[in-house]
Amino acid sequence: MIWHWTGLAVCSLTLLPAALAMITGRVPQRLHSRLAPMRPRGWALLALYMAAPLNAVPRLAGASPGLIMAATAVAVVLAVTGLLVAAIAAHRALRTTA
């Protein structure tokens, strides 16, 4: 159970602030060129972050195995959606610069 708490804390301290900063556009000026479509990448990072609480919180609360499996399935769908958003944003950025 300590690994669930550790993973949740690490994800909350790293992914959540970075995603919120990218969504609001508060990224250092030197990173603007590297993170060309910032807002879509921020939303993608937020979707990836949401996989951690959806996987850990039901387990920590002692939920039933069915509820844990449903929350994990939702977490996988959110993570895949986040990856698709990031890929589409990167593809659009490359297509507009070329």
Side-chain angles (χ1 to χ4, degrees), residues 30-87:
R30 61 189 165 99
L31 291 177
H32 278 273
S33 61
R34 291 181 60 196
L35 302 171
M38 274 193 309
R39 293 191 200 294
R41 288 183 189 224
W43 286 110
L45 196 59
L46 188 63
L48 287 173
Y49 162 74
M50 285 305 298
L54 281 172
N55 192 12
V57 171
R59 294 174 195 269
L60 293 171
S64 67
L67 183 62
I68 291 172
M69 185 63 77
T72 302
V74 171
V76 168
V77 168
L78 276 175
V80 169
T81 303
L83 291 174
L84 286 173
V85 167

